[in-house]
Structure formats: C-alpha cells, structure tokens
Amino acid sequence: MQREPTIHDVARRAGVSVATVSRVLNGRGPVAEATRARVLAAVAELGYRPNAVARSLVRRRSCTVGVLVPDIANPFAAELVRGMEAEAAAHGYHIVLACSDLSIAQEVRYIGLFRERQVDGLIYTSGTVTPELQQAFAELGRPVVLAATTVTGPGPALPAVLVDSYAGARLAMEHVLSLGHRRVACLIGSLQDPIAGLPRWQGYRDAAAARGVEIPPEYVVDAGFRLEAAYEATVRLLRLRPRPTAVVAASDLMAIGAMGAAADRGLRVPEDLTVVGFDNIRLAAVVRPALTTVAQPMHEIGARAVSRLLQVLAGEQPEPLVDWIAPRLIVRGSSGPPPA
Amino acid sequence: MQREPTIHDVARRAGVSVATVSRVLNGRGPVAEATRARVLAAVAELGYRPNAVARSLVRRRSCTVGVLVPDIANPFAAELVRGMEAEAAAHGYHIVLACSDLSIAQEVRYIGLFRERQVDGLIYTSGTVTPELQQAFAELGRPVVLAATTVTGPGPALPAVLVDSYAGARLAMEHVLSLGHRRVACLIGSLQDPIAGLPRWQGYRDAAAARGVEIPPEYVVDAGFRLEAAYEATVRLLRLRPRPTAVVAASDLMAIGAMGAAADRGLRVPEDLTVVGFDNIRLAAVVRPALTTVAQPMHEIGARAVSRLLQVLAGEQPEPLVDWIAPRLIVRGSSGPPPA
DNA sequence: CTGAAAGCGCTAACAT
DNA sequence: ATGTTAGCGCTTTCAG
C-alpha cells in the first residue's frame, strides 16, 4: 500500500513544475500543447487523482452540499434526495447526507458539523423552520435552500421550492365533486402545520364551497398524516349516517389507510367509496386499486433545490425567492362516481 | 460576511499558541487547567469551529465514508442507508452519497471521485461485484465493505454483510408447507443473480424436497423481481389445473403483484390463495391483507456494514469476512391453510 | 509560456 | 506545560 501520487510526483515525471501541472489539470492559464501532453501522460502513467481535500482548503470551496432530511427511509425524502443527487452530480458536487429524525437538537448539531466540513451550502428538507434553526442557518454562514418547505413564521425569508399544497387540494376536491360526489370526508393533517396541514385543508374547503358543497364538521378528521390513525378515522367515518361517498386525504399514506378500512368493512373502492390521496409516492401506483392522487414531483423539487443553491453560490439571487411548483392530478382506479 | 475565525484567532484571543489550542480541542497532550479554560472561553466567544478540511489534509483521514447505491429512492436502499447514517454519525463519520442507477460506468466514475474526495472507505450496495468494480476498488486503495451483496465470482473476497437468502427461502417454504399446502408455485428472480435469485430458488426447492413435496416446472416462473411481470405470471399460474394453492415470491414487490392478480381474478387471499414474500419492505405491512414475508433487517445490515468498515479502518480484520444475517419469518394475513 | 514561492487551516514533532 | 515550526497537497500570484 504505497503512498498516493501527488502533484509533485506528476511534475517530476513530466519534467515541469507543479504550477504547470495544476494549470493543465484545471485548464486555466496558457500551456504549450507539448507540455500539456507530457503532463497528461504522466498523470495517466501514475494513475494520479488530485486530492480534493487539499484543493478545497486552498480554494475555500468544497464542492459539497449538506442535505438534512428527517429520515431518508421515508419514501418522500428519498425521492427528494434522489433528485438532489442527480443535479449535484451533474455539476461536480457531492451530497453529504444527515438524518435528523426531526429532532431540532440533532438538526442544529448537524448544521454545526456541516459548518466544520465546509459544505458550500445546505438543503433543508420538509421540516418547519423554527427560530433555533434560523439561528443555526445564520451561524452556518453559507447559503441555505429549503426543499418541500418554506419559511412561514417571522425571520428572514429563504429560497425554497415546494408544491402549492392549497392548489393541489383544490384539484383533488374538484375532481371528486366533478364525479358527482356531494358527501366528501376529509382526512387532514395537523392544522398547526403551515406547510402541508393547513393549506390542504383550506384547499378542500374552498373548492367545496366554490361548488356550493358544505363539509360537515364530523366529516373532517385530523389523522396527523399517519396511516393507522387514518384507518381508525375512516372506520368511524364509515359508520356515520349519511355515510360519505368519498374521502380525500392529505397524504397517500392516509389514503391507503382509508382504503384498508373500506376493504375491512367490505366496501369496494371505488364502487362504494372513492379515495383520493396526496403526494404520489411510488406506493400509490402499486396498491389495488391504484390510488388517484395529487402529484408532488419530488425528484424535480430536489433537483431544483440544488440548482437554486448553485445559483446562489454563483452569486445570483434566485427569483422569485419561493418557487411554487404546480401540483398535478393523477387519476387512477380509486376514484369513480358515487354509488347510485 | 466576515471571515470565519481560525485557530490563530482563538490562540491570539486566549494569549496562547495555536499548538495549545489544538491540544485542548483534541484532548491530547497536557494542558494546564487554567489555560484550557481560557482557550475554551475564546472558542466560545468567537464561535470558533475547527475546519475539518484542513484537519483532514494533515491527518490524512477525512472521517467520511462513500456510499454507492443503485437508487436511493428504492425503499430497500433507503433503509440500508438509514442504518449506515445512524452508525456513521454515532462515530463522527459522515456519509457521502452517490446513486449509480446500476450503471457500471457510473459506479466506476463515482469510485474515482470518492478517491479524490479522500473518503476513508466505501460501502457498496446490492449490485453484483464485477471485475471492473474490483479494479475500481483496487484503485481506490481504501477499504470496501459490501452491504446486501457479496463477492460470488473470482477475485479477492471482501467483507460483506447480507441476509442468508437460501435460509430465508427455506423458512418461507416451510411455513407454507406446514400450513398444509402441497401445490406451491414459486415466483423467482433471475437464476443468473447469485445473491438473491439463485439461492432463494434453491431454498424453496430444497425445503419442498425435504418434505417430499415436488414443485412441477410449470409452477416455477422467473419474474425478474418485477411487480408487473409477477402479476402476469400469476395470472397464468392461476389458470393451471390443478391450480396452486400458494405462491412464494422472492421479493415483496413480486408478492404484491401476485396478490393483485389474485384480486383481479376474484380470488381471496389467503382463503383461496396464500402469498408469501421476501424482504419485508414497509409496504408489506401496509397492503391488504398484510403480507407474510421473510424479513431482511435492512437498517441493521447498513449499520453493521459501517461498523465493519470502521473496524477495518481501526486495523482489525473483520471475522468472519462475510457476515450472514439470519432471516426471520414474519407471519401476517396473506398466508393461511389451503382451501378445503 | 513556465517556475518559484507563499499560503489555505490545521496537527505533530521537536524544542524549551 | 507551552511554543516554534515544518509540513499535508494544492492553487495562485508574481517574476522571469
């Protein structure tokens, strides 16, 4: 296990100075074609690879972006990171990944470590931006872009890319109403959640109101984005009289919970009950019947977040600051006209 | 946006030399308690964070591990990486993530970039270790650990951690047979795949033979681990006479495809058809009925892979080289006695 | 067009 | 117990 060759080894072998080697490797500064060739030959012979750590130190740029997600095993986060990785790789950047389990303390800790590692920037994903976090962002001293979230409270605005949840929820409700449903239940997330909880509920409500359909309070249940809670809630909803003929859910997982509850009560989807989700996780296409849902293009959100970060690093100001992505309705087998 | 404080700033402020600051920060070498306190105070006042890049350069250790996965959006890979991240973080290491889409060219490219980045080691996940890869590993010149795969062909063995697929398949088949089934179909992956394809088939076959049950050739279908192919294959299997009363599948996705086919033909699971999967992806617990399957503890595989890598970095030789994890059968609702 | 030399921020001998 | 100093491998003026 011999020492890795350094730029000095290449220089010696090519009979030039290290400065010249650096020039041909980085393509800056004028180099005679013959010299260039000699250097390249030496590089190839030695199997030389420049040491990115040393380069980072002197350039004060690591070509690395820190990515902070709650849990990479969450399919939503995974798709997001997939998009980030692709975009980053395309620009010579690497992703340093950290999972926080949504613990603020962990998040702050990781941001500090990212600072030590000299990441060029940070992408923060899908959590709420609290004051502690804003403080940590400030101490990081490097650009931050938000993916699938945005700043809702006080404090400085940050570049963000996310789907317009309100518009997406309206799409879902309008689809259901246009199929002829009038008794529509809503499985919502917490109204305290200003990113995905509140606006989706508002979208459902406003779209219904716009068509003159009222949603009675007992048809609205906060299942906290959890599948099991959605299952239980649906069991209860299906006992109500009159019974809802459709359920719109603020996440696919909740929708799948609802479908399970219907199945366990012997109701068929969509003949007896229409179910519409939100997110379009891969799972949505795989369950039976396949789930009608509102797509969030996760891969694209991730990619755009990185692209905005690189833009900031290049000195440009992303415009507009918050990039609202239009949601798209994907109609599959879980929605149909109400029972006669 | 002023310059980040360096160790010199801290030294000046504390009225000591940089060496002393380094000593207190790294806890090596003797330091008087009073000096120590002064340094710590200066660190706090300045909000100083050591520059990990500079440290990596001189220590020749980046405290970074490269992780190469086909696709982080694959739930299997995501769980694996989750386990890696947790274990790495617990030891002060960071994960640098790369997704190869299973392209050998990409993999080789990324390994080269990892070399430039001075990762301390590499974890390679769930692909087949080809000669090109072995070559790239060699050029990397740093330890490699395999997660959810192992070296099957010629070439040097590598530390690995993976589930014993053969034993897992036997578990699945024995479960089905002990329920009383005698006509069992197998949805297998490619027999060319020496990690998950071949051994699972062998496990099914041998467990059946051990009970004196024969699996006719028309009951065995290679669906290449794909859900759609498994769906089609099951449609055909269910047309056979006599019809199988159970299907064992070499992956959960194939099992879910089989369940879909049964549902679409009006057969109930498990009353008319028992279905057993392999992997225990999260989805398995979510589909209706929930899927009986063989669990691969992905999180643990990832964590152990990192732990072995750190072991190698510490100069120890992992023993035994290949860590075969015992699979576990998870009985859920999709398996039951055969129809009368 | 090329080389010499001064760092980037830190650690680790080696002195004192 | 603490300070001085020589690098780690690379880029980048500044000379020539």
Side-chain angles (χ1 to χ4, degrees):
Chain A
M1 175 164 155
Q2 78 275 349
R3 191 173 55 74
E4 292 265 290
T6 74
I7 198 171
H8 286 99
D9 301 319
V10 176
R12 191 171 321 119
R13 178 145 195 148
V16 298
S17 73
V18 295
T20 300
V21 176
S22 177
R23 283 189 198 103
V24 347
L25 257 28
N26 295 295
R28 6 183 173 253
V31 183
E33 194 43 57
T35 328
R36 214 180 104 76
R38 280 218 314 292
V39 169
L40 258 17
V43 165
E45 286 160 22
L46 295 170
Y48 169 76
R49 289 285 201 144
N51 180 326
V53 169
R55 173 180 290 166
S56 298
L57 184 59
V58 42
R59 286 227 189 121
R60 285 125 165 251
R61 160 160 293 207
S62 63
C63 287
T64 259
V65 346
V67 171
L68 196 48
V69 300
D71 178 9
I72 187 68
N74 173 319
F76 190 87
E79 288 273 8
L80 234 28
V81 172
R82 183 79 179 88
M84 293 179 202
E85 201 278 335
E87 184 73 10
H91 294 273
Y93 274 72
H94 272 171
I95 294 287
V96 182
L97 183 71
C99 306
S100 69
D101 284 315
L102 273 187
S103 137
I104 298 280
Q106 281 295 313
E107 291 181 338
V108 170
R109 211 185 116 255
Y110 272 122
I111 293 172
L113 291 171
F114 281 154
R115 166 138 89 109
E116 294 189 358
R117 290 250 181 233
Q118 312 294 119
V119 300
D120 293 337
L122 170 67
I123 299 200
Y124 178 79
T125 287
S126 58
T128 306
V129 179
T130 63
E132 296 95 314
L133 269 179
Q134 295 183 322
Q135 167 73 17
F137 292 163
E139 283 170 10
L140 215 209
R142 264 147 270 185
V144 175
V145 172
L146 271 20
T149 186
T150 188
V151 177
T152 50
L158 287 165
V161 19
L162 73 167
V163 148
D164 185 339
S165 276
Y166 176 81
R170 291 198 64 135
L171 241 39
M173 180 59 81
E174 280 156 12
H175 169 66
V176 166
L177 297 178
S178 71
L179 285 170
H181 294 268
R182 286 301 171 269
R183 299 200 305 275
V184 184
C186 300
L187 291 171
I188 63 175
S190 163
L191 299 181
Q192 313 311 326
D193 170 1
I195 304 299
L198 182 60
R200 290 182 195 173
W201 155 241
Q202 291 172 328
Y204 294 144
R205 185 198 57 195
D206 292 0
R211 292 263 206 144
V213 173
E214 195 200 339
I215 302 177
E218 66 272 24
Y219 272 20
V220 181
V221 188
D222 179 349
F225 292 113
R226 289 186 322 268
L227 186 143
E228 298 76 12
Y231 176 95
E232 301 299 342
T234 306
V235 167
R236 282 194 301 278
L237 284 169
L238 294 178
R239 276 203 283 261
L240 295 176
R241 293 293 173 274
R243 195 174 75 194
T245 62
V247 173
V248 293
S251 80
D252 285 348
L253 283 181
M254 291 198 291
I256 287 164
M259 283 176 49
D264 289 358
R265 274 188 74 87
L267 296 178
R268 292 160 306 161
V269 174
E271 292 83 354
D272 303 314
L273 183 74
T274 275
V275 177
V276 176
F278 203 115
D279 282 345
N280 195 33
I281 61 179
R282 288 188 185 187
L283 183 43
V286 161
V287 290
R288 301 270 142 178
L291 188 63
T292 293
T293 191
V294 177
Q296 302 207 58
M298 270 93 75
H299 185 100
E300 185 184 347
I301 293 175
R304 282 212 215 179
V306 166
S307 143
R308 302 198 120 206
L309 187 61
L310 298 181
Q311 214 178 312
V312 176
L313 287 171
E316 301 164 42
Q317 173 77 12
E319 193 58 54
L321 202 58
V322 177
D323 181 2
W324 293 98
I325 296 194
R328 203 161 48 88
L329 181 75
I330 312 240
V331 179
R332 296 203 185 92
S334 69
S335 59
Chain B
M1 174 164 154
Q2 78 274 351
R3 189 174 56 75
E4 291 266 291
T6 75
I7 198 172
H8 286 99
D9 301 319
V10 177
R12 191 173 319 119
R13 177 143 194 151
V16 298
S17 73
V18 295
T20 300
V21 177
S22 178
R23 282 189 199 103
V24 346
L25 257 30
N26 296 295
R28 5 183 174 255
V31 184
E33 193 43 56
T35 331
R36 216 181 103 75
R38 281 219 314 291
V39 169
L40 259 18
V43 165
E45 287 160 23
L46 294 171
Y48 169 75
R49 289 285 201 145
N51 180 325
V53 168
R55 174 180 288 167
S56 299
L57 184 59
V58 43
R59 286 226 189 121
R60 287 129 164 248
R61 160 159 295 206
S62 63
C63 288
T64 259
V65 347
V67 171
L68 196 49
V69 300
D71 177 9
I72 187 67
N74 173 320
F76 190 88
E79 288 274 8
L80 235 27
V81 172
R82 184 79 178 86
M84 294 180 202
E85 201 277 336
E87 184 73 9
H91 295 273
Y93 274 72
H94 272 170
I95 293 287
V96 182
L97 183 72
C99 306
S100 68
D101 284 315
L102 273 187
S103 138
I104 297 279
Q106 281 295 312
E107 291 181 338
V108 169
R109 211 185 117 255
Y110 272 121
I111 294 172
L113 291 172
F114 280 153
R115 166 139 89 108
E116 295 189 359
R117 290 250 180 233
Q118 312 295 117
V119 300
D120 294 336
L122 170 66
I123 298 199
Y124 178 79
T125 287
S126 59
T128 306
V129 179
T130 63
E132 295 94 313
L133 269 180
Q134 295 184 322
Q135 166 73 17
F137 291 163
E139 283 171 9
L140 214 209
R142 264 147 273 184
V144 175
V145 171
L146 272 19
T149 186
T150 188
V151 176
T152 49
L158 286 167
V161 18
L162 73 167
V163 149
D164 184 340
S165 276
Y166 176 81
R170 291 198 65 135
L171 242 39
M173 180 59 80
E174 280 156 12
H175 169 65
V176 165
L177 296 179
S178 72
L179 286 169
H181 293 269
R182 286 302 171 266
R183 298 199 305 275
V184 185
C186 301
L187 290 172
I188 63 175
S190 163
L191 299 182
Q192 312 311 326
D193 170 2
I195 304 300
L198 183 60
R200 290 183 194 173
W201 156 241
Q202 292 171 330
Y204 294 144
R205 185 198 55 195
D206 293 358
R211 293 263 206 145
V213 173
E214 196 200 339
I215 303 176
E218 65 271 24
Y219 273 20
V220 180
V221 188
D222 179 349
F225 292 112
R226 289 185 322 266
L227 186 143
E228 297 75 13
Y231 177 95
E232 301 300 343
T234 305
V235 167
R236 281 193 302 277
L237 284 170
L238 293 178
R239 276 203 284 260
L240 294 177
R241 293 293 174 273
R243 195 173 76 192
T245 62
V247 173
V248 292
S251 80
D252 285 349
L253 283 181
M254 290 199 291
I256 287 164
M259 283 177 48
D264 288 359
R265 274 188 75 88
L267 296 178
R268 291 160 307 159
V269 175
E271 292 82 355
D272 303 314
L273 184 74
T274 275
V275 177
V276 176
F278 202 115
D279 283 346
N280 194 33
I281 60 180
R282 289 189 183 185
L283 182 44
V286 160
V287 291
R288 297 279 142 176
L291 188 63
T292 293
T293 190
V294 177
Q296 302 206 59
M298 271 95 74
H299 186 100
E300 185 185 347
I301 294 176
R304 282 212 216 179
V306 166
S307 144
R308 303 199 118 208
L309 186 61
L310 298 181
Q311 215 178 311
V312 176
L313 287 171
E316 300 164 41
Q317 174 74 13
E319 192 57 55
L321 202 60
V322 177
D323 181 1
W324 292 100
I325 295 195
R328 203 161 49 85
L329 181 74
I330 312 242
V331 179
R332 296 203 185 91
S334 69
S335 58

